[in-house]
């Protein structure tokens, strides 16, 4: 899946570059919330999974911060193509961890979303305030979280990056041009990811099978950022 996304992103860049009017680089911070559907956890060695609605906490202002960045190749018809990465967190609540029999259950370095985007901007939409430009966008890609899971009583720990499944992104925002090159922007983003993570078996238990964490995460974010065009 990850290799396919890289190929698709490279193809978008190649298609956009010849006709591109400009390249825009954007960085942002923000606040975020998350909820999930169809949560299922099967601990290593367990015969059957446990279904539970996990209360995911995102803590966007705790270290590491929630942040993101994208590169957009804008064409002369005001369509843009590019890539975007978002670094977020998802932490199961203490009550969920206790009920599932784990000391840790989180994506804290982080719940990373990488997408190839298609964007559309609307310059001149506000005749009396031409410095403001609204835009929308959508992306498809992959979730690559850092999975951190510690089963209660186990000596081992799952602590690694995993490509856990597909991801989608939606964007709606407004940019304010400070100069011809620099701009500020504010936007709303929604992401969806279908995560299928592996829980490593306890290395001290011979023949123990790996476990699984399955969760569909939906996040909502309000971002503020700065962009540079050239």
């Amino acid at each position: 899946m990850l290799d396919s996304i890289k190929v698709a992103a490279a193809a978008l860049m190649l298609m956009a570059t010849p006709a591109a009017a400009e390249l825009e680089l954007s960085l942002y911070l923000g606040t975020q919330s998350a909820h999930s559907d169809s949560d299922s956890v099967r601990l290593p060695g367990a015969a059957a999974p446990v279904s539970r609605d996990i209360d995911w906490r995102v803590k966007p202002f705790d270290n590491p911060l929630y942040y993101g960045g994208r590169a957009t190749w804008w064409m002369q018809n005001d369509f843009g193509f590019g890539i975007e990465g978002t670094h977020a967190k998802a932490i199961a609540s203490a009550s969920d961890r206790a009920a599932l029999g784990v000391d840790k259950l989180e994506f804290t370095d982080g719940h990373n979303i990488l997408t190839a985007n298609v964007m559309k901007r609307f310059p001149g939409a506000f005749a009396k305030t031409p410095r403001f430009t609204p835009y929308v966008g959508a992306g498809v890609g992959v979730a690559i979280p850092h999975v951190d899971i510690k089963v209660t009583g186990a000596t081992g720990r799952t602590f690694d990056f995993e490509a856990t499944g597909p991801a989608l992104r939606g964007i709606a925002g407004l940019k304010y041009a400070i100069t011809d090159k620099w701009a500020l922007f504010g936007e709303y983003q929604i992401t969806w990811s279908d995560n299928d993570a592996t829980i490593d078996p306890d290395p001290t238990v011979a023949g123990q099978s790996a476990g699984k964490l399955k969760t569909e995460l939906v996040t909502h974010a309000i971002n503020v950022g700065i962009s540079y065009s050239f």
Side-chain angles (χ1 to χ4, degrees), residues 94-114:
S95 59
D96 287 321
R97 297 196 303 270
L100 293 168
V102 296
D103 297 329
K104 277 185 172 289
L105 179 58
E106 56 192 56
F107 308 128
T108 46
D109 197 27
H111 188 261
N112 306 298
I113 302 293
L114 177 65

Side-chain angles (χ1 to χ4, degrees), residues 116-204:
N117 292 351
V118 177
M119 307 284 288
K120 174 63 176 176
R121 62 185 178 184
F122 305 92
F126 305 111
K128 294 184 179 180
T129 52
R131 288 183 178 269
F132 286 97
T133 300
Y135 59 91
V136 295
V140 60
V142 64
I144 315 174
H146 187 273
V147 182
D148 187 356
I149 302 175
K150 173 70 166 61
V151 178
T152 302
T155 58
R157 176 182 176 189
T158 302
F159 192 74
D160 203 359
F161 288 96
E162 299 183 28
T164 55
L168 301 174
R169 185 193 308 272
I171 308 167
L174 184 65
K175 182 172 72 171
Y176 175 77
I178 304 171
T179 68
D180 291 342
K181 300 292 187 181
W182 293 95
L184 300 174
F185 63 89
E187 65 186 24
Y188 164 77
Q189 280 206 25
I190 181 172
T191 67
W192 168 90
S193 59
D194 188 7
N195 301 274
D196 188 345
T198 298
I199 306 174
D200 295 336
D202 190 333
T204 65

Side-chain angles (χ1 to χ4, degrees), residues 4-229:
S4 298
I5 295 302
K6 289 180 178 177
V7 171
L12 283 172
M13 294 180 208
L14 290 173
M15 287 188 296
T17 300
E22 62 183 297
L23 169 61
E24 182 180 52
L25 303 178
S26 304
L27 297 173
Y28 55 82
L29 300 172
T31 184
Q32 191 184 45
S33 64
H35 63 87
S36 62
D37 296 308
S38 306
D39 297 318
S40 172
V41 178
R42 180 173 59 81
L43 297 182
V50 175
S51 296
R52 183 179 178 85
D53 292 333
I54 297 175
D55 180 16
W56 292 103
R57 313 294 175 84
V58 293
K59 300 181 180 180
F61 303 115
D62 289 356
N63 188 39
L65 293 174
Y66 162 76
Y67 64 88
R70 61 176 171 263
T72 306
W73 284 261
W74 289 107
M75 303 174 69
Q76 293 178 357
N77 59 2
D78 291 312
F79 277 95
F81 301 88
I83 54 175
E84 181 166 356
T86 303
H87 179 283
K89 296 188 291 290
I91 305 166
S93 68
S95 59
D96 287 321
R97 297 196 303 270
L100 293 168
V102 296
D103 297 329
K104 277 185 172 289
L105 179 58
E106 56 192 56
F107 308 128
T108 46
D109 197 27
H111 188 261
N112 306 298
I113 302 293
L114 177 65
T115 59
N117 292 351
V118 177
M119 307 284 288
K120 174 63 176 176
R121 62 185 178 184
F122 305 92
F126 305 111
K128 294 184 179 180
T129 52
R131 288 183 178 269
F132 286 97
T133 300
Y135 59 91
V136 295
V140 60
V142 64
I144 315 174
H146 187 273
V147 182
D148 187 356
I149 302 175
K150 173 70 166 61
V151 178
T152 302
T155 58
R157 176 182 176 189
T158 302
F159 192 74
D160 203 359
F161 288 96
E162 299 183 28
T164 55
L168 301 174
R169 185 193 308 272
I171 308 167
L174 184 65
K175 182 172 72 171
Y176 175 77
I178 304 171
T179 68
D180 291 342
K181 300 292 187 181
W182 293 95
L184 300 174
F185 63 89
E187 65 186 24
Y188 164 77
Q189 280 206 25
I190 181 172
T191 67
W192 168 90
S193 59
D194 188 7
N195 301 274
D196 188 345
T198 298
I199 306 174
D200 295 336
D202 190 333
T204 65
V205 180
Q208 186 180 69
S209 61
K212 281 289 184 182
L213 164 63
K214 297 183 178 181
T215 181
E216 293 183 23
L217 272 173
V218 178
T219 69
H220 305 270
I222 299 297
N223 301 328
V224 292
I226 189 166
S227 62
Y228 179 77
S229 300

